Amino acid sequence: MMHADSGSPAAGEAVLSSPASPASSVSAIASAHRIVVKVGSSLVTNEGRGLDRPAVAHWAAQIATLRQQGREVVLVSSGAIAEGMARLGWRKRPVVMHELQAAAAVGQMGLVQAYEAAFAEHGLHTAQILLTHEDLADRHRYLNARSTLFALLRLGVVPIVNENDTVVTDEIRFGDNDTLGALVTNLIEADALIILTDQRGLYGADPRKQPDAPFIAQGQAGDPMLEAMAGGAGSTVGTGGMLTKILAAKRAARSGAHTVIASGREQNVLTRLSQGEPIGTELRAVLPVWSARKQWLGDHLRLRGKVMLDAGAVRALLTEGKSLLPIGVIEVQGEFERGDVVACMDEAGLECARGLVNYSSADARRIVRTPSSRIAEILGSMTAPELVHRDNMVVTRPLAHPLPPVTAV
């Protein structure tokens, strides 16, 4: 079993850092009070052979220790579909949607039973929370889920979160619980996200193809270099690869949470991290922290439509903190209603912001390139002078390149 060394990175290890986030020899988990732990399906089901109950018991014991230290822990666990496959005798992950949903329904029973029994050994109650991305996209359901999780943590219960694979459709195919782990991290404003996987952490290249690939001990969440280094999914059991973990860390950083990607087979990995031992890859949060409302807007994974902006509108949004006016919109894509979340795209097709739109797509198409003073004339009434108000908008990337100056006419 491979153990990450303490202290400075060993030979063959790399640290991607900057003056804004100097390398540290102490894990950020040491100072974390509220932690989200995500466990991958290949770990939970022993590479698809069935629930690995000794491993589940080992993680439960470690989380019990964290609870004794006064920390709050939410567990996000994959494995329902993989466990269902094992129970049904399926060796290959099905592609037909209703078969995936059936496997999830069968497997979820075993998953919950295993966790409940394991935590009961330490006198801890557990609670099952099944979510879809749509639950978190709806503002009222988002707030309800947040309140429920906070209530469970106050009661000393360990919430066990999984995606509700029995009712979702395209989410199963998208289906990585790394993203769900980051969303839960944002939802409860956790201090840290720990992603346990079947790899030691992040490498500069795929170690299965390049055995001498350098190991990344530390980096910054949101660093584009990390996304370029990350490989694709390599397991036939789960659906997440290293790229999904890098993007999850970036998302978690929006609420100020640090992320550790480490091997779930590492002995006592959670308790050792809590003691400050650097294990795996640690991605520090250096991105600006968003407010709870902006996190909710930024966490939307299913956008209803897009609006393409001219250079002046992009400048107004990214550098001046202005609202989006119809006159700055070149084109409207997709079908949406008032109050839906839409993406604001620059002329290169890159998202620069997203927010709640004040007009339906049909009305928006009628008022593009139009001064706000003419909205009532064109539509018969004016809901708001802005297409998207700045209070209902979140900027999703900084201005990458200076824009040419706007010449007054």
Side-chain angles (χ1 to χ4, degrees):
M1 181 175 291
M2 182 181 292
H3 290 268
D5 295 327
S6 301
S8 301
E13 294 186 357
V15 174
L16 304 181
S17 62
S18 72
S21 64
S24 172
S25 60
V26 178
S27 172
I29 308 301
S31 58
H33 170 68
R34 184 176 297 150
I35 302 169
V36 173
V37 177
K38 184 268 176 180
V39 184
S41 58
S42 62
L43 293 173
V44 175
T45 63
N46 197 14
E47 298 292 346
R49 290 186 286 270
L51 272 176
D52 191 340
R53 295 180 185 275
V56 170
H58 184 53
W59 299 319
Q62 294 178 73
I63 291 174
T65 299
L66 298 184
R67 293 288 296 116
Q68 292 172 357
Q69 295 172 354
R71 304 175 197 262
E72 298 175 341
V73 182
V74 174
L75 178 62
V76 176
S77 176
S78 302
I81 293 177
E83 168 63 6
M85 288 167 53
R87 289 188 170 205
L88 293 169
W90 297 349
R91 294 186 177 182
K92 186 177 180 181
R93 185 183 176 94
V95 295
V96 179
M97 188 58 60
H98 67 264
E99 291 182 350
L100 281 168
Q101 293 172 326
V106 172
Q108 192 65 37
M109 296 296 292
L111 198 63
V112 171
Q113 290 170 1
Y115 279 121
E116 184 178 31
F119 280 100
E121 291 291 324
H122 305 278
L124 289 174
H125 292 295
T126 57
Q128 181 186 40
I129 305 291
L130 295 178
L131 295 173
T132 67
H133 292 314
E134 280 69 22
D135 290 327
L136 302 183
D138 181 274
R139 182 65 174 168
H140 294 294
R141 287 151 71 183
Y142 176 94
L143 293 175
N144 286 340
R146 174 184 167 95
S147 297
T148 299
L149 284 167
F150 280 145
L152 291 170
L153 291 174
R154 285 195 301 270
L155 292 169
V157 175
V158 179
I160 299 175
V161 181
N162 195 3
E163 191 166 19
N164 195 353
D165 292 329
T166 60
V167 298
V168 294
T169 52
D170 56 340
E171 280 76 15
I172 285 183
R173 289 175 179 162
F174 175 76
D176 67 274
N177 271 0
D178 299 324
T179 300
L180 181 58
L183 294 174
V184 172
T185 300
N186 293 154
L187 180 68
I188 64 171
E189 299 177 5
D191 302 307
L193 168 64
I194 302 175
I195 299 177
L196 297 182
T197 180
D198 54 4
Q199 295 290 324
R200 181 188 174 195
L202 181 66
Y203 288 82
D206 190 339
R208 294 168 300 217
K209 300 177 181 177
Q210 299 183 31
D212 60 344
F215 179 74
I216 307 301
Q218 279 191 25
Q220 293 182 15
D223 186 343
M225 289 179 60
L226 294 173
E227 297 178 26
M229 289 178 180
S235 171
T236 60
V237 178
T239 57
M242 277 297 163
L243 180 58
T244 69
K245 294 166 178 56
I246 297 302
L247 296 177
K250 180 180 180 180
R251 188 178 296 276
R254 293 299 187 187
S255 58
H258 305 295
T259 297
V260 170
I261 304 169
S263 171
R265 299 189 176 99
E266 188 85 24
Q267 189 70 22
N268 296 320
V269 60
L270 298 178
T271 51
R272 287 163 59 199
L273 283 168
S274 73
Q275 294 165 0
E277 182 178 347
I279 303 173
T281 298
E282 183 167 302
L283 302 180
R284 294 287 181 119
V286 296
L287 301 171
V289 176
W290 290 350
S291 67
R293 180 175 176 80
K294 287 184 181 288
Q295 288 171 33
W296 172 72
L297 287 170
D299 282 343
H300 274 70
L301 303 180
R302 300 289 183 268
L303 301 178
R304 298 296 183 182
K306 301 177 181 179
V307 288
M308 315 302 291
L309 315 184
D310 63 23
V314 173
R315 180 198 305 277
L317 267 57
L318 300 189
T319 66
E320 301 173 18
K322 298 291 184 65
S323 299
L324 175 61
L325 302 179
I327 197 169
V329 177
I330 301 171
E331 181 186 356
V332 175
Q333 297 181 0
E335 301 299 324
F336 50 83
E337 299 297 328
R338 177 188 175 192
D340 284 341
V341 178
V342 299
C344 302
M345 317 293 288
D346 64 18
E347 292 180 276
L350 300 176
E351 181 182 336
C352 56
R354 59 179 59 180
L356 300 175
V357 68
N358 287 327
Y359 293 90
S360 69
S361 53
D363 286 344
R365 289 187 176 95
R366 295 175 62 190
I367 59 175
V368 296
R369 312 304 287 167
T370 300
S372 298
S373 58
R374 294 196 57 215
I375 293 178
E377 173 189 342
I378 296 171
L379 299 181
S381 64
M382 182 174 70
T383 301
E386 311 90 5
L387 193 62
V388 180
H389 193 277
R390 63 183 180 184
D391 291 344
N392 294 322
M393 180 190 302
V394 58
V395 173
T396 54
R397 70 169 176 86
L399 186 63
H401 303 288
L403 292 170
V406 176
T407 304
V409 178

